[in-house]
Amino acid sequence: MKKKPVLLIVTILAAAGVFLFLFLSGVFFMPVTGRVSDKAYREERKSFYRREEYGVWERGTLLELPAQDINMGLDIRSYDISALDLTDQEAVLSGVTYDSATVFPDRLPNGFDPERIMEIGKNPGLGIRTLHEKGITGKGISIAIVDQALNPDHTEYADQLISYELLHCCDTAAQMHGSAVTSIAVGKNCGVAPDAKVYYIASTFGRYGSNGMKMNLQYMADGIDRILEINTLLPEDRKIRVISISRGFTSEKGADAVRQAIERAKEAGVFVITTTPEDHYGFTLMGLGKELTADPDDMASYGPGHFWSDYFYNGETADTAHMLLVPMDARTYASWNSTDGYEFAASGGLSWSVPWMAGLFALCLQVDEDLTPEYFLRKAFETGTVKTVEYQGGTYELGTIINPPALIEALSQQKN
């Protein structure tokens, strides 16, 4: 009987040790929620609940190329690979992901110029920069982004970032995804709408536990509702008109709450763009692929995005009549670990298509402040392009590919 207290103490200490180990090893993260004051919004002042930490990503030296990653391809970001001979590795490098800190060798395939590829990838493509030259930059338009924790200081978007809140956010530092989507939407050099203002909510759509992440999209719904609440504090000419969320939903926990939140947003005149817009807006959003150095403004450069091209050529892509395609692959975006660095990814995902589309809607709102999502989509399909793609002896119809200059022209004529 006297041994029981000792055993109890040992058991408690062991359990505490296991919990501490799990906590320190990153299994458990305490979610944080924090808001900007109503007064800051009413006074249109920049305000951040907190500023996320970021710093140099030191990955060291590689003496051989790593295995391909399912999401990032040949991921050599922040590695020193200067000792390698990559002269005959053109095929492998066609799927590369690298950043400004990657140290390349001198021995590279003919035509593979990392600096040139990075610069080409900054171009949003399909005539967007031509619109910028005409002054159509998203000026006067506000968008919101709900994503992972954001580096607030990158020169691509620091001036455009108005507010930063947390809503059930488990991140403890800036993440790659946040900087990428923000710069694709509003980046000064690589964004679709470089003069649009951004209201940002960092959120985690679930909880971490010993078995990994358990999704709960109620937090996604809460993010939409919080943006609608922020809108009630903003003057009429600064109200948020589009929300970019690079996540989709079907039957996950909380999916019905997201559907209801999107309906509330529609009633409030706010366009919510996710990776699954079919139910609420009647179209499928997909991404275009292209080779590393192909001209981003040339429609002929594009085919189906890398991640879904096999499905397309096998005839497994559903509902092509309602598919709207925007640039996705071979894109450069702001890095998360510095104030002026960039990353390039040969292969993208729908996460990049969503902020691209949000940026385009901002450009269109600058031309027609009364524009609705429904009319925007109608004109996007009417002015878009369906192109014939040849592949391994077969021909395929790819479309509708968005045509920003033609879309803006149609909206301008309608407005006048």
Side-chain angles (χ1 to χ4, degrees):
M1 294 293 293
K2 292 182 180 180
K3 292 182 179 181
K4 286 186 177 180
V6 175
L7 291 174
L8 179 60
I9 293 172
V10 171
T11 301
I12 293 172
L13 289 175
V18 169
F19 179 84
L20 181 62
F21 170 77
L22 291 171
F23 182 84
L24 292 176
S25 62
V27 174
F28 292 111
F29 297 88
M30 294 301 295
V32 176
T33 295
R35 294 184 170 188
V36 169
S37 71
D38 290 358
K39 184 178 180 182
Y41 286 118
R42 291 194 179 100
E43 295 177 354
E44 303 177 62
R45 287 190 285 108
K46 272 182 175 272
S47 189
F48 302 164
Y49 176 75
R50 77 179 186 195
R51 301 185 72 86
E52 303 294 354
E53 295 182 359
Y54 58 91
V56 176
W57 191 21
E58 297 180 351
R59 301 185 82 183
T61 300
L62 290 179
L63 299 180
E64 60 181 20
L65 290 177
Q68 295 272 340
D69 180 83
I70 189 171
N71 294 313
M72 305 301 291
L74 178 66
D75 182 4
I76 52 175
R77 293 173 297 167
S78 293
Y79 278 122
D80 181 344
I81 60 169
S82 60
L84 302 183
D85 182 352
L86 303 181
T87 306
D88 61 351
Q89 296 297 319
E90 183 176 1
V92 175
L93 288 170
S94 67
V96 71
T97 299
Y98 64 97
D99 62 14
S100 299
T102 301
V103 182
F104 281 92
D106 294 329
R107 293 166 292 184
L108 292 168
N110 289 333
F112 185 89
D113 181 342
E115 290 186 9
R116 178 169 176 261
I117 291 169
M118 183 81 80
E119 198 60 32
I120 292 172
K122 292 178 183 178
N123 186 345
L126 294 181
I128 291 293
R129 284 184 170 174
T130 300
L131 296 175
H132 293 170
E133 292 169 0
K134 296 178 179 179
I136 302 171
T137 59
K139 188 176 180 62
I141 307 302
S142 298
I143 77 172
I145 295 174
V146 183
D147 208 279
Q148 293 178 298
L150 180 70
N151 168 357
D153 297 324
H154 201 287
T155 55
E156 275 291 307
Y157 51 74
D159 291 342
Q160 298 93 301
L161 185 60
I162 301 301
S163 72
Y164 183 78
E165 293 192 353
L166 306 179
L167 197 162
H168 189 268
C169 180
C170 296
D171 298 325
T172 57
Q175 303 293 309
M176 177 275 285
H177 210 266
S179 292
V181 297
T182 304
S183 60
I184 289 171
V186 303
K188 290 181 178 179
N189 297 298
C190 58
V192 177
D195 284 331
K197 300 301 183 183
V198 177
Y199 295 78
Y200 197 102
I201 294 180
S203 186
T204 305
F205 302 150
R207 296 291 297 264
Y208 288 100
S210 57
N211 295 320
M213 167 73 83
K214 291 185 177 180
M215 299 303 302
N216 185 350
L217 298 187
Q218 177 65 54
Y219 303 117
M220 183 173 168
D222 292 344
I224 296 170
D225 285 333
R226 174 56 184 161
I227 291 162
L228 299 181
E229 185 179 0
I230 291 170
N231 251 1
T232 65
L233 305 171
L234 300 176
E236 197 63 34
D237 62 348
R238 290 290 298 275
K239 289 190 184 299
I240 297 161
R241 299 291 303 277
V242 57
I243 303 172
S244 172
I245 307 178
S246 292
R247 180 67 165 83
F249 54 92
T250 52
S251 58
E252 303 92 335
K253 182 179 181 180
D256 286 341
V258 175
R259 293 185 177 93
Q260 294 163 10
I262 291 176
E263 286 302 312
R264 289 190 288 272
K266 289 178 69 174
E267 292 173 5
V270 179
F271 189 11
V272 181
I273 306 178
T274 68
T275 61
T276 51
E278 295 85 354
D279 289 349
H280 296 275
Y281 300 103
F283 80 105
T284 300
L285 179 63
M286 291 299 283
L288 294 165
K290 74 176 192 68
E291 299 309 313
L292 305 187
T293 58
D295 183 357
D297 289 316
D298 187 352
M299 189 80 68
S301 298
Y302 293 98
H306 294 166
F307 86 84
W308 64 284
S309 61
D310 287 346
Y311 297 102
F312 174 76
Y313 292 124
N314 289 332
E316 300 173 23
T317 306
D319 200 19
T320 54
H322 298 94
M323 185 180 293
L324 202 55
L325 295 121
V326 306
M328 178 184 71
D329 291 343
R331 283 306 313 272
T332 299
Y333 44 86
S335 65
W336 51 274
N337 53 14
S338 73
T339 61
D340 58 0
Y342 293 89
E343 288 188 6
F344 173 87
S347 296
L350 289 181
S351 286
W352 296 176
S353 301
V354 170
W356 200 101
M357 179 69 88
L360 179 62
F361 189 62
L363 298 186
C364 293
L365 285 169
Q366 183 183 345
V367 173
D368 181 1
E369 68 273 15
D370 298 320
L371 184 65
T372 65
E374 291 75 17
Y375 191 72
F376 163 78
L377 292 168
R378 173 184 157 190
K379 301 307 288 187
F381 276 100
E382 288 179 0
T383 59
T385 301
V386 177
K387 62 174 285 190
T388 300
V389 178
E390 296 184 0
Y391 180 75
Q392 295 185 349
T395 57
Y396 305 83
E397 297 298 305
L398 178 67
T400 301
I401 299 173
I402 204 146
N403 187 332
L407 173 59
I408 290 290
E409 178 64 22
L411 295 176
S412 299
Q413 291 179 355
Q414 179 69 25
K415 186 66 176 177
N416 295 330

